[in-house]
Amino acid sequence: MSRAPWSLAFCLCGGIAALACQLPASAKGNAGSVEGSGPPAVPVAAACSAEGVGADSAVAIAVLPDQLGAFCLDPLAPPRAYGASDSAPLARACERVLGPGCVDERLHGLDRVVTLRYLKANDPEGSVEVLLSRFEDTEGAYAHFTQRLLGERDPLGLELDPLDVPGAAVLESGNVIGWRGRHVFRLRYSDARETLDELLATAEQYLPELARQLSESLPDEAGLPDPMQKLPETERVPFGVRLVLGDALGVAGLGTSARGYYRDGDKRWRVLAIVRPDAESAKDVLGTLGRRPETKKIKGAPFDAVQFTERRLPSEPHVGWVVGQRGNVIYGIGDEATVLPEFMPARQEARVKLSLHEKLVKLTRIHLK
């Protein structure tokens, strides 16, 4: 597992645990303590209930369970909600919680943020920071999840442990990022007394179960967005999926697309899927691609198909695509950019890239399913 720490901000709808916790010795207000005997355990009502921790706590309780395993709400860090119907505007979450990453989240339709912290029962030095981001729809939430998870990285270079939760979640470097419906959540365990190796071990011990409980508490909304469900599973790389909002391939009018990452031996490629309302509008998309100057129609193909090179930055390799239509879905087979350096000998390139014929064969297999 990678040892590089995450630099993610955390925002999540939080719940109130019902477990007994003990405040640090420096905590104030421990009435009834006897000099020299140390502070007594803080009553459950004071440490692990919504009473006295702020109005935003009711928001958290309505979403999350009353407890997350062996952790309870930190009474000195009550939940904070940011959104149109909350006590603080969403813009303040961008300033105080999300930082520069808020730009991407707003583009994906972010409409609410909640933050909180849980303390480990009877050992408040150990804590879990929780962040929940809610988006306008499932597509926006899943696009943000896959952007955070993968982005422009090669999925084969990721060291992730999948977690068994409703929706999806992974553990990476002692942190969790997960998705369900309109929500994306993140968990981070911390304890100033532990070394990095100890932190990673403790996170692996506690966070999977906390992530499961948290995900189960979120609304059971629509499943995977339609374009993601169209991607083939055969030969797909683990964690090799991404949903991209906006115009696919940089072409106006193409809309949201799903990207799958695939491998067979040394050969690497991507699959593109765009879902349209009906076959006629999908045909219009293929027509739009066909009118580009660099696009060529593939003669002799068993279905309407075109080939072209995706326009990329001068420092990035050219990516060739073969695209065709099947009903209301546009499918494409393209080169894997992460394995194509700017300068690569033709012989080496042939080992990792699919030829035009190979791309057409794989596209045909998709059409025949």
Side-chain angles (χ1 to χ4, degrees):
M1 179 173 293
S2 170
R3 300 303 171 94
W6 275 13
S7 59
L8 297 177
F10 288 83
C11 56
L12 193 69
C13 277
I16 307 292
L19 300 175
C21 291
Q22 181 176 326
L23 286 176
S26 60
K28 304 297 181 181
N30 291 328
S33 62
V34 179
E35 185 176 355
S37 64
V42 177
V44 173
C48 299
S49 76
E51 203 171 320
V53 296
D56 285 343
S57 300
V59 174
I61 296 171
V63 177
L64 298 184
D66 290 341
Q67 68 180 56
L68 286 179
F71 292 80
C72 68
L73 185 71
D74 182 353
L76 302 181
R80 289 290 178 262
Y82 304 85
S85 60
D86 299 301
S87 58
L90 192 60
R92 188 163 298 174
C94 292
E95 298 170 0
R96 296 184 175 181
V97 181
L98 302 175
C102 191
V103 175
D104 286 337
E105 299 204 39
R106 297 294 287 268
L107 289 175
H108 290 140
L110 178 71
D111 71 359
R112 194 158 193 250
V113 170
V114 182
T115 63
L116 61 103
R117 180 189 301 128
Y118 284 105
L119 298 178
K120 191 191 299 184
N122 302 317
D123 184 12
E125 291 295 321
S127 64
V128 175
E129 294 183 39
V130 187
L131 170 155
L132 181 73
S133 298
R134 189 183 69 190
F135 295 81
E136 294 174 359
D137 53 38
T138 300
E139 279 197 352
Y142 197 78
H144 182 70
F145 172 65
T146 56
Q147 163 68 18
R148 286 301 229 178
L149 188 67
L150 180 59
E152 297 298 330
R153 299 186 292 176
D154 182 353
L156 286 181
L158 303 180
E159 296 184 13
L160 307 175
D161 293 327
L163 302 181
D164 184 14
V165 304
V170 299
L171 179 70
E172 180 184 29
S173 300
N175 301 272
V176 166
I177 180 168
W179 160 83
R180 190 180 190 191
R182 294 170 56 199
H183 293 88
V184 174
F185 60 88
R186 304 173 204 156
L187 309 177
R188 183 181 65 183
Y189 177 81
S190 62
D191 188 331
R193 302 166 300 178
E194 295 185 346
T195 66
L196 177 58
D197 287 343
E198 290 171 339
L199 280 172
L200 292 173
T202 307
E204 290 176 7
Q205 176 185 357
Y206 288 110
L207 292 189
E209 176 60 19
L210 300 188
R212 183 189 64 78
Q213 293 186 36
L214 179 58
S215 186
E216 286 179 347
S217 71
L218 295 174
D220 184 15
E221 298 170 306
L224 284 174
D226 288 344
M228 301 303 303
Q229 298 185 42
K230 301 300 181 181
L231 291 175
E233 295 185 5
T234 304
E235 300 175 315
R236 195 165 74 203
V237 174
F239 311 110
V241 293
R242 186 177 173 196
L243 187 69
V244 180
L245 304 184
D247 293 321
L249 304 173
V251 180
L254 263 61
T256 298
S257 62
R259 311 284 180 91
Y261 297 68
Y262 296 79
R263 178 186 184 184
D264 181 12
D266 291 333
K267 298 281 189 177
R268 299 285 303 279
W269 67 96
R270 296 187 189 185
V271 175
L272 172 78
I274 302 171
V275 178
R276 307 298 290 183
D278 50 52
E280 193 63 31
S281 59
K283 186 176 180 180
D284 291 339
V285 169
L286 198 62
T288 298
L289 288 172
R291 288 190 291 272
R292 301 173 73 196
E294 67 274 23
T295 301
K296 298 179 181 178
K297 185 173 183 178
I298 301 178
K299 298 179 180 180
F303 47 84
D304 289 338
V306 298
Q307 63 169 315
F308 59 90
T309 299
E310 183 182 358
R311 294 177 176 175
R312 301 175 68 87
L313 297 175
S315 60
E316 296 180 337
H318 296 296
V319 176
W321 286 92
V322 170
V323 178
Q325 175 195 355
R326 181 189 177 202
N328 69 324
V329 183
I330 295 293
Y331 282 107
I333 307 291
D335 301 324
E336 175 49 66
T338 60
V339 298
L340 297 177
E342 185 178 1
F343 302 104
M344 176 183 285
R347 185 174 299 178
Q348 182 181 354
E349 189 176 89
R351 286 201 300 268
V352 298
K353 288 179 61 173
L354 298 178
S355 66
L356 174 61
H357 174 72
E358 289 172 322
K359 290 175 182 175
L360 192 56
V361 168
K362 291 190 178 295
L363 193 59
T364 300
R365 288 175 181 171
I366 292 176
H367 277 250
L368 293 176
K369 288 183 178 180

